Amino acid sequence: MPVEFLGMGATNDGTETHPRSGPAFDPEYTVALARAHEETGWDRVLTAYGSGSSDPAQAAALIACRTERLQVLVAHRPNVSYPTFAAKTIATLDAISGGRTTVHVITGGNDHEQQREGDTLPKDRRYDRTREAIQIFKKAWTAREPFDFHGEHYDFTDFVLDVEPVQKPRPRISFGGSSAAAYRVGAEEADIYALWGEPLAGTAEQIRTITELAAAAGRPAPTFQVAFRPILGRTEEEAWEKAYATVAAIQDRTKGGAQLTRRHKLTDPENAGSQRLLAVAQQGERHDRALWTVTAQATGGAGNSTALVGTPETVAAALMDYYDLGVRILSARGYDLLDDAREFGREVIPLVRAEVARRDAQRAVVPA
């Protein structure tokens, strides 16, 4: 079975360990980072969303125009634009990129961050809005005749897109979340379900829940994706020294309770995914083969924040453990975005791809 690798299509060099050195949107850095991913074997990069950050769709268009093979995953929050407009944006981007576009739909887990852009809808109702938005995307990208939609959050008549996506029947839709409401919407509507890096048992539990909900809805389970922060070393000792130095740098940036981003609280996060990561951290620092939770604890469980620590061989083996659970998209992002993307692409991706190919070849020769 194929495996894909998702990296970070950041527009500047800032991370949890150091502030950015230039503007929020640095076109030269954006292209350099994307090309580093393309040149070292990654499949796609995510252009992320924040209330005051660069427009992810325009950043993705720049990346698409300056690369040849690399795919783009564009983050989108349904509160910021009407779904018909967003569908047009993604369809146009898919044409610009030659069919290399996927959209990641974000419901939003922090009330204050949502309210920065005028979104006062309670979280439980935001999932209902996300469901409607995804349904509109699917219809807009595949319908060739005008259609109406009359929902709780969106209402329009006689809409049809003139611009068609290159991908047929449509671009894929990615979705994430760790609450019961998220599981249901993602299982019933998404093509890709994105999870944060939990221990194997917790990941297996989430996969099982979402798969069962998808089956109940009469559709196959989405493709599963899991995200990590790899910390590599030539030896195990070097990797762990680097890991503790990384946390020290994060803690130095958060002295006095400062937030690393404007959209996440270091303590008592509102979203279920961050709460789950902090609960795992409370159970212990190390889990399974290489999972380390101290980075998540230092950031309040902010997004993709659990680490995989070790040599390239150790980290590749840990990723294969998740592959064995059914995960087919592996997301990774270092703390030095450019150098870490190159290192991971050179040192880890070939090991994982080789092991997947070995297993596929082995299965092919086994009699049915």
Side-chain angles (χ1 to χ4, degrees):
M1 297 290 290
V3 62
E4 298 177 273
F5 288 90
L6 169 67
M8 189 67 184
T11 60
N12 62 72
D13 63 354
T15 71
E16 297 91 333
T17 59
H18 59 273
R20 67 179 187 244
S21 61
F25 180 63
D26 182 336
E28 290 186 7
Y29 183 85
T30 302
V31 172
L33 181 60
R35 286 177 171 170
H37 281 86
E38 182 171 62
E39 291 164 1
T40 55
W42 298 76
D43 295 283
R44 66 174 54 82
V45 292
L46 167 69
T47 53
Y49 189 93
S51 60
S53 59
S54 307
D55 180 359
Q58 295 190 61
L62 173 65
I63 291 170
C65 289
R66 301 290 290 275
T67 58
E68 297 180 1
R69 177 192 57 80
L70 193 68
Q71 300 171 53
V72 288
L73 174 61
V74 183
H76 170 74
R77 287 206 306 227
N79 67 303
V80 300
S81 67
Y82 212 75
T84 50
F85 179 83
K88 178 166 50 180
T89 298
I90 297 301
T92 304
L93 182 56
D94 199 51
I96 290 171
S97 67
R100 290 183 280 152
T101 301
T102 303
V103 61
H104 180 61
V105 181
I106 303 171
T107 300
N110 182 286
D111 288 342
H112 184 60
E113 166 67 5
Q114 299 296 121
Q115 290 163 10
R116 290 179 185 277
E117 295 186 291
D119 182 13
T120 59
L121 200 66
K123 184 179 178 182
D124 57 348
R125 295 187 62 206
R126 292 202 291 265
Y127 280 108
D128 295 331
R129 180 178 61 192
T130 296
R131 181 193 299 277
E132 288 188 11
I134 293 175
Q135 291 171 346
I136 292 167
F137 292 161
K138 292 177 178 178
K139 186 72 172 178
W141 292 332
T142 56
R144 302 278 67 88
E145 298 295 331
F147 67 96
D148 303 341
F149 188 92
H150 304 294
E152 178 185 0
H153 301 280
Y154 304 110
D155 193 304
F156 58 84
T157 58
D158 202 39
F159 177 79
V160 64
L161 268 180
D162 191 30
V163 56
E164 295 184 29
V166 171
Q167 296 176 80
K168 302 301 178 188
R170 57 174 175 78
R172 287 192 293 174
I173 296 170
S174 172
F175 174 91
S178 297
S179 67
Y183 293 152
R184 188 167 299 280
V185 171
E188 295 176 0
E189 300 291 347
D191 303 304
I192 298 168
Y193 204 108
L195 301 169
W196 288 338
E198 295 189 14
L200 292 166
T203 301
E205 171 200 16
Q206 289 182 299
I207 289 174
R208 183 168 54 252
T209 297
I210 295 162
T211 300
E212 290 172 354
L213 288 169
R219 68 190 302 259
T223 300
F224 289 101
Q225 170 187 307
V226 179
F228 303 98
R229 307 300 292 271
I231 301 176
L232 303 176
R234 289 169 296 181
T235 65
E236 295 295 324
E237 293 76 13
E238 182 181 292
W240 283 104
E241 287 177 8
K242 185 177 176 182
Y244 284 108
T246 297
V247 167
I250 294 172
Q251 292 171 337
D252 187 60
R253 287 202 67 201
T254 57
K255 285 179 179 177
Q259 295 179 194
L260 289 170
T261 72
R262 293 182 178 181
R263 59 185 181 272
H264 188 85
K265 295 186 293 185
L266 289 177
T267 58
D268 302 320
E270 297 174 25
N271 60 306
S274 294
Q275 293 168 6
R276 285 179 65 102
L277 293 187
L278 292 181
V280 169
Q282 288 295 320
Q283 296 167 15
E285 292 186 7
R286 300 191 188 188
H287 298 262
D288 304 321
R289 192 188 299 267
L291 188 71
W292 196 48
T293 64
V294 178
T295 46
Q297 194 167 38
T299 59
N304 174 15
S305 56
T306 48
L308 290 178
V309 182
T311 64
E313 292 77 13
T314 295
V315 170
L319 291 171
M320 287 304 303
D321 291 338
Y322 288 89
Y323 180 88
D324 288 339
L325 296 181
V327 176
R328 292 297 177 264
I329 302 176
L330 299 169
S331 175
R333 171 165 56 105
Y335 291 94
D336 183 331
L337 294 171
L338 192 56
D339 287 345
D340 287 352
R342 288 172 175 152
E343 181 184 36
F344 187 88
R346 289 193 310 263
E347 304 294 336
V348 178
I349 289 178
L351 295 177
V352 175
R353 291 201 194 280
E355 178 59 18
V356 170
R358 186 191 68 80
R359 294 186 186 188
D360 287 348
Q362 190 176 47
R363 279 193 291 269
V365 300
V366 174

